[in-house]
Amino acid sequence: MNRILIYLYALLAVCFGLQSSACSTESKPVEETEGDESTAKPKYLWFDAEANFERFSNQDSIAYYVKKAKDVGFTDIVVDVKPIYGKALYKSTFIPELTTVGDYSRTIEWDYLQYFIDQAKKNGLRVTVSTTFFPAGHPGNQSGLVYEDPKWDGKTGIEYTSNNELMDIRNDKSKVAAFMNPLDPEVRKFVMDMVREIVTKYDVQGYILDYCRFSGIETEFSETTRRAFEEYIGEKVPNFPKDIFYYQNGQKVDGRFAKKWYEFRAMVIHDYVKEIKETAKGIKPDIKIEYWAASWYNALYANGQNWASKKYDTHAEHTWATENYKNAGFAEHLDAFQIGTYLNTIYGKNDPESIEYGLIRGKRLLKGDTKLYGSIYALNHKDNIEQAIDLCLKESEGLMVFDIVQVIGFNQWDAIKRGIENSGF
């Protein structure tokens, strides 16, 4: 749910001027096939860390639901092991363990991620790990890494608020997550060390980059970021942040450096994606690097997310983009892009609020630089998830269903199985 809320916030911000049993013999993992449209496509079920924290504190529950995923036709599971609190659900040497979410606390001696991997192997499923990259605390209850460890003081996002003032994101209780500053060298080291640790220690087939972006249009306005921006453009910004943009009568007004600022932020995220790919594949060359982002591309410059191909000319279609903005496109650095078509309407080639439209636009912007997997939000499809799955598998190269907590809650297992079988993929 947190991901949905923060992306909806980003969209609104832009609109207003400014997301127990197994066979006795192990089956071989499913191999993804290339080219032949009659063969199986990858089908992911996401196991969110926060929403399922209590349920998956029990090994029997993990074993049961991993097998359930296999039985209905999924080929892959996504295991979320670092949610917005900045703490880990795997055995890390430097990230504290997440032991409390909400009112529920636990202590487990076994390795959460390794147990998922073991159960997946028993059922012939592939495992893709997911981590948030820059969130590291919950502003609502002031919990998480950046609230508990003074090491991160001064390294969290600085917001430029609608009253033309600056504030630490840790103090903004309206935010879903307290983001660390991607421009801070210690943050970069933290992120890359996390990638190295997971890829080295665990036999995972893929890594999904989640929340690998800026919090929103109002961040990041620290002095660290100012200096980096000035170096990027090769000149000083005398009236920072007003030369970027400012607020007048509650509305955002772009300053003279606004477009270069949007380009700069997108390049920051591009460079992260590239370095994460190179880091992970340097350890495990066959690991798949994937990225999830919302399908509403036109709003995501607020987060510095240019998931498109460099061959797509953003400037030609969007007034906020510089001619160079296209060079921040990071599709070429991905093995697959999971497009977040988290929309209620399924069909409608000319309806911007439909899954079908989102998939068509995704193909157009990616220009074949990476695979496109349609992803759906199960909560939006209590009664028609079968059709949503069928469309994603027929009109993209794979499927992701978010999240198992809704699939369980709405008992969508049979409908999912029918959708997969009917698609022929």
Side-chain angles (χ1 to χ4, degrees):
M1 287 296 292
N2 285 337
R3 182 201 291 173
I4 301 301
L5 291 172
I6 200 161
Y7 271 104
L8 288 176
Y9 173 81
L11 184 58
L12 288 171
V14 171
C15 291
F16 283 96
L18 295 172
Q19 81 114 349
S20 97
S21 61
C23 298
S24 57
T25 58
E26 290 188 5
S27 51
K28 299 282 187 185
V30 181
E31 295 294 333
E32 184 179 346
T33 53
E34 305 278 352
D36 184 357
E37 285 298 306
S38 68
T39 53
K41 295 182 178 181
K43 296 168 281 287
Y44 296 68
L45 179 59
W46 195 293
F47 287 67
D48 183 75
E50 186 175 1
N52 299 285
F53 187 73
E54 182 173 358
R55 173 180 286 116
F56 295 137
S57 297
N58 185 299
Q59 288 182 332
D60 287 345
S61 291
I62 295 174
Y64 176 83
Y65 284 110
V66 170
K67 185 176 186 301
K68 188 80 169 174
K70 171 67 174 181
D71 289 345
V72 301
F74 288 104
T75 61
D76 298 70
I77 59 171
V78 180
V79 185
D80 177 14
V81 295
K82 181 186 164 288
I84 63 167
Y85 301 90
K87 296 184 177 183
L89 277 76
Y90 70 94
K91 295 299 184 183
S92 174
T93 59
F94 67 98
I95 304 177
E97 181 183 1
L98 181 64
T99 59
T100 301
V101 171
D103 296 328
Y104 182 79
S105 296
R106 73 181 189 198
T107 301
I108 58 175
E109 299 301 324
W110 43 279
D111 189 323
Y112 179 88
L113 176 55
Q114 187 59 53
Y115 194 77
F116 265 103
I117 292 170
D118 293 343
Q119 293 304 308
K121 285 182 177 179
K122 287 181 181 179
N123 288 280
L125 294 172
R126 294 180 293 249
V127 176
T128 292
V129 69
S130 169
T131 59
T132 68
F133 276 80
F134 302 118
H138 192 307
N141 58 23
Q142 305 279 287
S143 67
L145 186 66
V146 296
Y147 296 97
E148 299 168 15
D149 188 346
K151 170 184 176 180
W152 301 108
D153 291 350
K155 302 180 189 305
T156 48
I158 300 299
E159 297 181 345
Y160 183 34
T161 66
S162 59
N163 60 359
N164 292 299
E165 294 182 354
L166 299 176
M167 71 179 295
D168 191 322
I169 194 171
R170 291 182 296 182
N171 300 322
D172 187 350
K173 292 191 175 183
S174 70
K175 289 291 182 287
V176 171
F179 277 58
M180 297 189 290
N181 180 4
L183 276 301
D184 187 277
E186 287 195 48
V187 172
R188 181 176 288 273
K189 183 179 185 302
F190 176 85
V191 164
M192 296 307 163
D193 285 348
M194 175 180 69
V195 173
R196 289 187 193 94
E197 182 173 59
I198 291 173
V199 176
T200 300
K201 289 177 64 174
Y202 295 96
D203 183 18
V204 294
Q205 287 69 59
Y207 199 132
I208 291 182
L209 284 55
D210 200 16
Y211 285 84
C212 185
R213 58 176 176 81
F214 288 90
S215 172
I217 197 69
E218 70 286 345
T219 59
E220 190 339 282
F221 287 91
S222 67
E223 281 301 305
T224 298
T225 304
R226 175 183 184 168
R227 290 191 296 271
F229 178 60
E230 289 176 338
E231 181 178 352
Y232 180 79
I233 62 174
E235 62 180 295
K236 295 292 185 181
V237 181
N239 299 303
F240 185 87
K242 291 186 177 180
D243 281 343
I244 308 299
F245 62 75
Y246 59 93
Y247 297 93
Q248 186 172 322
N249 299 322
Q251 300 296 312
K252 184 176 73 69
V253 181
D254 281 351
R256 67 189 183 103
F257 291 110
K259 289 185 180 181
K260 290 298 291 184
W261 177 256
Y262 304 144
E263 174 193 312
F264 160 72
R265 294 161 85 252
M267 286 302 303
V268 170
I269 300 305
H270 167 278
D271 291 349
Y272 261 101
V273 174
K274 181 175 182 290
E275 186 174 352
I276 291 165
K277 175 197 72 173
E278 292 171 348
T279 299
K281 288 182 178 289
I283 299 166
K284 187 175 183 180
D286 60 346
I287 195 168
K288 293 173 64 176
I289 301 301
E290 305 182 24
Y291 191 103
W292 184 96
S295 62
W296 42 91
Y297 176 87
N298 58 301
L300 296 186
Y301 77 95
N303 304 99
Q305 288 175 296
N306 185 0
W307 49 258
S309 166
K310 288 180 173 63
K311 298 189 289 284
Y312 168 65
D313 188 358
T314 317
H315 174 72
E317 296 189 16
H318 300 285
T319 58
W320 43 260
T322 63
E323 291 183 6
N324 191 52
Y325 188 88
K326 64 184 180 182
N327 292 322
F330 55 72
E332 65 185 354
H333 298 300
L334 304 174
D335 293 294
F337 174 58
Q338 296 195 1
I339 189 167
T341 45
Y342 285 12
L343 301 160
N344 291 295
T345 303
I346 298 174
Y347 303 104
K349 292 182 178 180
N350 299 310
D351 180 359
E353 296 301 314
S354 76
I355 295 174
E356 187 172 24
Y357 181 95
L359 295 176
I360 292 170
R361 178 168 56 185
K363 292 176 189 177
R364 182 171 70 86
L365 271 58
L366 291 174
K367 296 190 178 299
D369 280 2
T370 189
K371 294 180 179 179
L372 176 72
Y373 297 166
S375 73
I376 60 173
Y377 186 35
L379 181 63
N380 291 339
H381 304 290
K382 298 177 185 177
D383 303 314
N384 60 7
I385 197 168
E386 179 179 341
Q387 290 77 24
I389 286 172
D390 180 75
L391 176 69
C392 284
L393 286 172
K394 286 179 176 175
E395 298 301 328
S396 76
E397 296 174 271
L399 165 75
M400 188 275 280
V401 176
F402 183 90
D403 172 78
I404 190 174
V405 70
Q406 283 93 22
V407 174
I408 294 170
F410 302 127
N411 193 23
Q412 295 169 309
W413 300 105
D414 289 344
I416 288 172
K417 186 174 184 178
R418 289 194 301 270
I420 291 172
E421 290 176 346
N422 291 344
S423 75
F425 298 104

